[in-house]
Amino acid sequence: PNLTHGLQLNGINQLWVSDITYFLTSDTTYYLVFILDVYSQRIIGQSASDNLFAVNNVQALKMALKMRGLSKYEKLIHHSDKGSQYGSNEYTCILEESEIRISMAENCLENPYAERINGIIKNDYLINKRITSLNDLKIELAHAVDLYNSCPNGSLKMLSPIEFENTVKLVPTDEYPII
């Protein structure tokens, strides 16, 4: 079920969203996966590939888990669409082992944060890059994610996602902004 309806967030690691999008070059279609922490708007996992296999989503998920470094995530919801990659045994087992609740959207309108980050990275950060191989894409994607995570964000009072996370850590938990 979709567990995000009416959800209010007051900290990181409460809602991660993910989606797959395509990236076209002159002769190849590639696929990008992002995992975004909705509270801080920080991209915490990503992958680029030339196929739609679940292993690419697993790679992004493992990156996110490693970045956050917790052993259990009992308050976290992972929200995605109903793509087979997100329902694969390997993916769901990782989520369940980490005590992450699984939420799935019925359609793209129920996953707006993931759709938004897909568009921003593709259309603002990668669109004018000269990408002729998967390796080029992986290099440019890593650079784009680093840049995005370090740029001021209007919804975060002009702090970057990284700065926002660092600033929130300095505030008592009961004073965290609610979104």
Side-chain angles (χ1 to χ4, degrees):
N2 183 338
L3 303 175
T4 65
H5 292 298
L7 188 63
Q8 290 189 329
L9 306 175
N10 65 347
I12 63 169
N13 299 326
Q14 293 178 357
L15 178 61
W16 293 357
V17 296
S18 187
D19 194 20
I20 304 168
T21 190
Y22 63 89
F23 183 79
L24 300 174
T25 65
S26 59
D27 60 342
T28 307
T29 301
Y30 295 110
Y31 302 93
L32 307 174
V33 177
F34 298 104
I35 298 179
L36 180 83
D37 187 305
V38 172
Y39 187 74
S40 65
Q41 299 296 304
R42 185 175 184 179
I43 299 171
I44 55 175
Q46 83 261 357
S47 75
S49 64
D50 58 2
N51 63 70
L52 285 167
F53 298 142
V55 66
N56 305 305
N57 299 67
V58 168
Q59 178 185 0
L61 179 58
K62 286 182 176 180
M63 178 185 289
L65 292 168
K66 183 177 179 183
M67 175 180 284
R68 291 307 199 203
L70 302 175
S71 58
K72 299 293 178 194
Y73 297 82
E74 58 275 344
K75 293 183 180 182
L76 176 60
I77 296 170
H78 176 286
H79 185 72
S80 66
D81 62 17
K82 292 186 185 259
S84 62
Q85 300 85 348
Y86 295 109
S88 71
N89 286 338
E90 186 176 7
Y91 203 88
T92 57
C93 282
I94 293 169
L95 293 173
E96 290 167 357
E97 287 170 3
S98 300
E99 298 182 15
I100 299 171
R101 293 181 291 161
I102 301 170
S103 173
M104 292 190 176
E106 289 293 327
N107 59 59
C108 63
L109 299 175
E110 293 183 342
N111 202 6
Y113 292 101
E115 296 293 341
R116 179 180 158 272
I117 203 62
N118 287 348
I120 288 171
I121 297 299
K122 284 188 343 183
N123 300 319
D124 295 342
Y125 287 85
L126 296 177
I127 191 87
N128 293 318
K129 300 295 181 182
R130 187 170 185 272
I131 296 171
T132 60
S133 68
L134 181 56
N135 190 53
D136 288 348
L137 178 58
K138 287 180 178 183
I139 291 167
E140 292 296 342
L141 179 62
H143 180 69
V145 168
D146 287 343
L147 190 58
Y148 169 84
N149 283 335
S150 300
C151 282
N153 185 316
S155 67
L156 303 174
K157 297 185 179 180
M158 297 313 291
L159 295 173
S160 72
I162 293 171
E163 290 170 330
F164 181 79
E165 285 187 0
N166 291 334
T167 300
V168 167
K169 290 178 189 173
L170 303 174
V171 175
T173 307
D174 61 338
E175 294 180 21
Y176 282 13
I178 295 174
I179 62 165

